[in-house]
Amino acid sequence: MMKKILVALGIVLVLQSLFALCLVSSLQLLVLRNAPIGVTGSSPVVNAVRSKVSLQTINYADESAVLDAIGQSKLYGAYLPGPRSDTLIVVPTKSFFGRVELEAAFGDASKKLGKPMTVKTVKPLPKSDRLGGVVGLLLIPLLIGGYLAAVLVLKATRTAAAPWHVAMLVGYSAAGALLTDLIAGPGIGAYANSHFWPLLPCFILITASVTLAAAAFQRLVGPLGTLLVATLFIIVGGSAAGGIGLFLLPVYWQHIGAIFPPQQAVTLLRNVIYFDGNNITTPLIVLGLYTLAGGVIIGYLGRWRPVKKVGGAAPSHRAGSTPEPSSGRPVVAALAALAVVAVMQCLFTANYMSSGHEPVATDLPIGSTGASPILNAAQRNLSLKVTQYPDETAVKDAIDQAKIYGALIPGPTSTTLLVVPTLSDVAPLDLAGNFEEAAKKLRQPLHVEQYAPHPLAKKDPFGLVSSLMLVPLLVGGYMGATMLRATTGTSVGRWRLPALAGFAVLAALLVNVVVCTWLKGYPAPKFWIVWPILALVIAAVALVAAVLQKLLGAAGTLVTVVVVMLFGNPSSGGANGVPYLPAFWRAIGPYLPPRNAYILLRNTIYFDGHGTTQALIVLLLYLVIPAVALVLLYRFRTPDSPVTPETEAEATAMTAPVGGLP
């Protein structure tokens, strides 16, 4: 038994570490790599930028040819030298952060070389998708919905392939796609209603490619096929999806992602929404091949080979005969399972899309050391909560304690705006943009300066690492509890509490080594203080899952996923910051583990632990209360829900992808 426990938890440790490695390595350093840029002539500005930024320049005859290439979704931008002034064309719909980097690099080079430059925006992002995150958010319900459909149909029917599986999974793909389209489009308004019908077949194809491929892997490999698909499609493929912009991924991730559905799905959705369906041949072919291959494998093995059942012998039948549907019970069970998947997919769509599709700050906390017309003008376009401080020292002290996202310091000759990149990746851009525009209209000088007690790590220039680490920590917590239950066949035992605690400590160490030591996601001196925080987060989630599994059986895992990932993760605030969440998500976040875990991590790494008292208390409550509950449940020998190892292993696999995608 002990050997089985060690093997089971070892699998979780590997998956969790791999998840952290993939997510952080793909997204920690958002810089352009081989980004295609159009040029209409030679320029010292382009040469200067290319010496610092990885660009792939493509020559075009004139501006018309450049604009045509942009309309075909081929370019991230273009530089057009002119006789008096050069023009930089940016394309935010290709990548919001790519546009920011291009403007900064070309603006700095043109200024140093004394070449006047104007910026022209083509294909701007709409207000409903101001950061270009809608495509990535759409991928979450489509990918996870397709994956869960295959897992739960297998769980409900105990059959890895049958003649009716293909029709049922394709039918669910259509139903799930329609629900996602209705919620994200007309329901939430994440994209224009005119895109409803063009996106629907895309949603169906994406979901079908995942669910049929997953079912085929399950049939070919057995129960391990479920974990294999989660690893390849969710952990690896999802990390390489490129929702923030394909050419902001490391080059090796660009190539790895090209063979998996997530990256092709992102390209398909982005080009349909923002580029009139141009340049979608490759995504259609790749996704179509996954769909076709999965359907053929399931159909062939289900009709012409014995039906393989999980955990039992398979009834054999001659080639060409049709297996009996056991009085229709497998079909009914599968339909019931798909109804559960549909609810989950709707929740993923509604929760992640409503919390993140239009991040606009509400009452963004900033400081000021005096009255300023620039401040008054900026507040007309940006919701600010202004706190007055006596001097610059007091303002910086407030920033050091993570209380404010920036500050305005009026001076006798010039006004200084302090922005804090370690608190938010978006707030510095919003503050600088709005205050610079206000100062320009008022014809007053303004100097923007970054300030933070500890600068962002070189391998974390946008402050994303703490947010990226959170997902593997949460998923690893409830996966560990679920796998332990599946292996031992019980939810309680005198060893369960120390086993989960030991697992949390070891898992935290491995994630810490991967992210801090290997990927250099945060400064090395923070290694030892971050380790116990990571262990606390993992243990808190694991113990909550253990108690719920004791009380509800396998359904306890599902409840944990709903609480932690469907409501907790969207309400964490993440790298954008809590002020960018809608009111509902701001209100519930303080009571759930993810936001408190993120604040504790971020403020420990970049703010010397200031502002972490509440977060620490909440997480300790999530740790201590379930720990006491486990002890009491064991002492009083309450009846345990029956545990079927095969079914529980499937439940464990089902939790693997539930972490959101970039």
Side-chain angles (χ1 to χ4, degrees):
M1 176 65 71
M2 182 57 64
K3 182 178 180 180
K4 289 183 178 180
I5 293 174
L6 293 176
V7 171
L9 293 181
I11 291 174
V12 179
L13 290 174
V14 171
L15 286 176
Q16 185 179 34
S17 300
L18 179 63
F19 206 172
L21 174 64
C22 291
L23 271 181
V24 176
S25 66
S26 64
L27 296 172
Q28 70 182 111
L29 191 61
L30 296 184
V31 296
L32 292 170
R33 282 104 164 181
N34 293 337
I37 302 295
V39 295
T40 57
S42 60
S43 169
V45 175
V46 175
N47 296 333
V49 172
R50 288 188 62 184
S51 66
K52 296 181 179 180
V53 180
S54 176
L55 300 178
Q56 177 188 357
T57 55
I58 304 172
N59 292 310
Y60 291 91
D62 50 33
E63 182 176 355
S64 177
V66 165
L67 294 177
D68 182 65
I70 290 174
Q72 296 288 324
S73 187
K74 294 179 179 179
L75 300 176
Y76 270 54
Y79 195 79
L80 285 59
R84 296 183 179 178
S85 176
D86 297 347
T87 301
L88 171 67
I89 297 178
V90 292
V91 191
T93 45
K94 288 292 288 184
S95 171
F96 173 83
F97 286 104
R99 184 212 73 182
V100 171
E101 185 170 345
L102 283 177
E103 285 193 27
F106 277 93
D108 182 62
S110 63
K111 185 177 180 180
K112 288 181 179 178
L113 294 172
K115 296 282 291 183
M117 184 193 78
T118 59
V119 179
K120 179 179 179 180
T121 300
V122 176
K123 299 282 185 181
L125 287 164
K127 182 182 177 183
S128 60
D129 187 20
R130 62 182 295 260
L131 299 185
V134 163
V135 170
L137 292 172
L138 283 172
L139 189 62
I140 296 174
L142 297 174
L143 196 61
I144 293 178
Y147 174 85
L148 292 184
V151 172
L152 290 190
V153 166
L154 172 63
K155 179 180 177 182
T157 64
R158 317 292 293 167
T159 303
W164 41 268
H165 267 195
V166 174
M168 183 170 290
L169 292 175
V170 171
Y172 175 77
S173 298
L178 179 61
L179 290 171
T180 299
D181 208 1
L182 286 170
I183 294 171
I188 295 176
Y191 47 82
N193 288 340
S194 60
H195 291 121
F196 179 90
W197 293 111
L199 284 173
L200 183 57
C202 301
F203 289 176
I204 295 173
L205 177 60
I206 294 167
T207 308
S209 68
V210 175
T211 192
L212 292 176
F217 271 107
Q218 291 166 345
R219 177 61 180 88
L220 292 172
V221 184
L224 287 179
T226 304
L227 283 176
L228 180 61
V229 173
T231 302
L232 294 178
F233 285 15
I234 311 297
I235 295 177
V236 177
S239 299
I244 41 80
L246 175 60
F247 288 94
L248 270 74
L249 296 174
V251 174
Y252 63 90
W253 275 118
Q254 296 176 27
H255 296 319
I256 291 172
I259 64 175
F260 294 113
Q263 186 180 114
Q264 302 299 335
V266 163
T267 301
L268 176 63
L269 296 177
R270 176 178 285 120
N271 289 0
V272 167
I273 295 175
Y274 293 124
F275 295 92
D276 301 319
N278 287 308
N279 201 18
I280 60 174
T281 302
T282 299
L284 289 176
I285 291 174
V286 174
L287 293 172
L289 287 175
Y290 270 100
T291 304
L292 180 62
V296 168
I297 291 171
I298 298 169
Y300 171 74
L301 295 179
R303 182 172 181 82
W304 298 98
R305 297 286 297 276
V307 177
K308 184 178 180 181
K309 291 199 172 186
V310 178
S316 61
H317 54 287
R318 291 193 303 268
S321 64
T322 302
E324 297 181 1
S326 303
S327 303
R329 289 181 182 177
V331 176
V332 173
L335 291 175
L338 291 177
V340 174
V341 178
V343 173
M344 293 287 287
Q345 186 163 344
C346 288
L347 284 173
F348 269 109
T349 305
N351 290 8
Y352 279 83
M353 194 63 69
S354 65
S355 65
H357 82 96
E358 187 183 354
V360 177
T362 301
D363 293 335
L364 184 68
I366 73 165
S368 178
T369 60
S372 170
I374 298 177
L375 176 59
N376 297 333
Q379 284 184 286
R380 296 170 188 166
N381 298 317
L382 188 62
S383 176
L384 302 175
K385 182 180 180 182
V386 182
T387 302
Q388 294 294 328
Y389 293 91
D391 51 36
E392 183 176 345
T393 301
V395 161
K396 290 184 175 180
D397 184 61
I399 293 176
D400 293 348
Q401 297 180 43
K403 293 181 178 179
I404 54 178
Y405 285 67
L408 192 70
I409 306 172
T413 59
S414 178
T415 299
T416 299
L417 174 68
L418 299 180
V419 295
V420 189
T422 45
L423 272 178
S424 170
D425 60 341
V426 181
L429 299 175
D430 281 349
L431 289 170
N434 280 277
F435 276 85
E436 285 176 341
E437 182 179 355
K440 185 177 180 180
K441 289 181 179 179
L442 294 170
R443 297 182 179 180
Q444 294 190 10
L446 177 71
H447 171 67
V448 179
E449 177 184 329
Q450 289 191 357
Y451 174 78
H454 297 286
L456 287 165
K458 290 183 179 180
K459 293 294 185 71
D460 185 25
F462 289 94
L464 302 176
V465 166
S466 298
S467 179
L468 294 171
M469 288 175 63
L470 188 60
V471 176
L473 298 178
L474 301 175
V475 174
Y478 53 71
M479 277 192 70
T482 307
M483 191 69 89
L484 186 60
R485 182 176 188 265
T487 306
T488 61
T490 180
S491 298
V492 294
R494 68 176 61 187
W495 40 261
R496 188 168 180 82
L497 185 58
L500 288 176
F503 164 77
V505 171
L506 183 56
L509 176 60
L510 291 178
V511 172
N512 206 18
V513 169
V514 167
V515 178
C516 181
T517 306
W518 186 356
L519 299 178
K520 303 187 186 306
Y522 45 88
K526 298 293 183 179
F527 182 95
W528 298 107
I529 188 61
V530 168
W531 183 10
I533 294 173
L534 301 181
L536 172 60
V537 176
I538 296 170
V541 176
L543 293 180
V544 168
V547 171
L548 290 174
Q549 288 164 354
K550 167 60 183 174
L551 298 176
L552 304 175
T557 302
L558 185 61
V559 174
T560 306
V561 170
V562 171
V563 172
V564 174
M565 302 311 304
L566 278 169
F567 287 92
N569 201 36
S571 65
S572 69
N576 289 352
V578 173
Y580 283 87
L581 289 172
F584 171 77
W585 298 104
R586 289 200 309 273
I588 69 171
Y591 307 102
L592 299 174
R595 181 184 297 180
N596 294 286
Y598 175 69
I599 290 175
L600 186 57
L601 270 174
R602 182 198 64 193
N603 289 13
T604 298
I605 293 172
Y606 289 120
F607 294 93
D608 295 323
H610 290 294
T612 59
T613 302
Q614 178 179 323
L616 182 60
I617 291 174
V618 172
L619 285 176
L620 287 174
L621 288 175
Y622 272 100
L623 178 74
V624 173
I625 293 175
V628 172
L630 274 182
V631 172
L632 294 177
L633 289 171
Y634 171 72
R635 173 166 294 186
F636 289 100
R637 305 286 183 177
T638 55
D640 200 7
S641 301
V643 178
T644 303
E646 294 86 357
T647 301
E648 200 67 20
E650 292 160 12
T652 305
M654 186 182 71
T655 67
V658 186
L661 299 166

